[in-house]
Amino acid sequence: MGFSKAALVEGCREHGYGDTARLLFPHGEFAIVQYHLYKERTRLQTLQTQVDAEEGPSQSRRVRRYCVERLRGNQALVGRLPEAFGLMAVPRNAPTAVEELALLADEIVFLSGDDANSLDWYAKRAGLGAVYAAAEVFMTQDRSAGFANTLRFLDARLGDLTTAGSFVTGAVQWGAFAGHSALNVLRSQIARG
């Protein structure tokens, strides 16, 4: 039934509530989208031991694996994802959808073993969120067996992210070095003065 009012009504009926119980959900069918996003994000936590054992110490392999596992959570309803995207784009729903994407990126990075809170903390998560969202959109058009094209797309974007991440980290480090150097020059000028 997808992410529809009919699905919300049917869900209420299945749990013994009347049709008007759907009024308990002020964002209507977006509540189904929210539930799906939350359920699939938190499911990743249950995979941590397995992922750690199978992917080893490589953080990048674990990030990829969590992204793949999260995409697998969409397989059964891939034909309905455009409905979910449409509901997420509604202005009153967009902040919640963006927050959930940020939580997903944070969860993946954390589960992958990165608990640092350095200057590039936000860049890592924003970049990963953008890569995941792009892969999810790509998935809606993918007709390849086992979503092989989506996985290739994901791998390419994660590669781009690694390259960009190295650039950002280098730029941040260079900026910190340049700032520290400038401060030392100022201190030496003041000391002479």
Side-chain angles (χ1 to χ4, degrees):
M1 297 184 91
F3 301 98
S4 64
K5 287 181 183 172
L8 193 57
V9 169
E10 187 59 31
C12 291
R13 286 179 186 160
E14 281 183 19
H15 288 87
Y17 300 104
D19 294 357
T20 57
R22 70 179 169 74
L23 299 174
L24 297 172
F25 302 97
H27 293 281
E29 57 272 26
F30 182 64
I32 303 170
V33 175
Q34 280 183 282
Y35 175 72
H36 173 70
L37 297 175
Y38 171 80
K39 178 181 67 112
E40 291 302 321
R41 176 175 51 83
T42 57
R43 180 179 63 85
L44 297 178
Q45 296 167 5
T46 67
L47 302 173
Q48 187 173 19
T49 303
Q50 177 185 352
V51 170
D52 287 351
E54 292 175 5
E55 302 303 331
S58 171
Q59 185 179 355
S60 61
R61 286 182 56 180
R62 289 190 304 239
V63 165
R64 180 193 184 276
R65 175 69 180 275
Y66 284 117
C67 287
V68 169
E69 292 295 338
R70 177 57 190 84
L71 288 168
R72 283 186 181 146
N74 291 338
Q75 285 182 348
L77 50 88
V78 72
R80 298 292 192 157
L81 284 180
E83 293 173 15
F85 297 155
L87 289 166
M88 287 188 277
V90 171
R92 71 179 182 166
N93 300 336
T96 303
V98 170
E99 179 183 5
E100 186 59 42
L101 181 60
L103 289 170
L104 174 64
D106 187 52
E107 191 75 28
I108 290 172
V109 172
F110 177 76
L111 290 172
S112 298
D114 184 351
D115 58 357
N117 54 7
S118 60
L119 293 173
D120 60 341
W121 188 92
Y122 292 103
K124 283 181 188 177
R125 283 147 178 84
L128 181 59
V131 165
Y132 177 79
E136 202 169 48
V137 171
F138 187 93
M139 185 181 197
T140 64
Q141 301 300 313
D142 187 0
R143 302 296 175 250
S144 63
F147 297 98
N149 290 338
T150 298
L151 298 181
R152 280 192 285 280
F153 178 85
L154 174 67
D155 289 339
R157 299 300 72 79
L158 287 173
D160 294 343
L161 183 61
T162 300
T163 302
S166 297
F167 172 77
V168 168
T169 300
V172 167
Q173 289 171 346
W174 179 85
F177 172 77
H180 184 70
S181 298
L183 183 61
N184 285 337
V185 168
L186 282 173
R187 284 181 181 156
S188 68
Q189 292 298 323
I190 291 170
R192 282 189 208 166

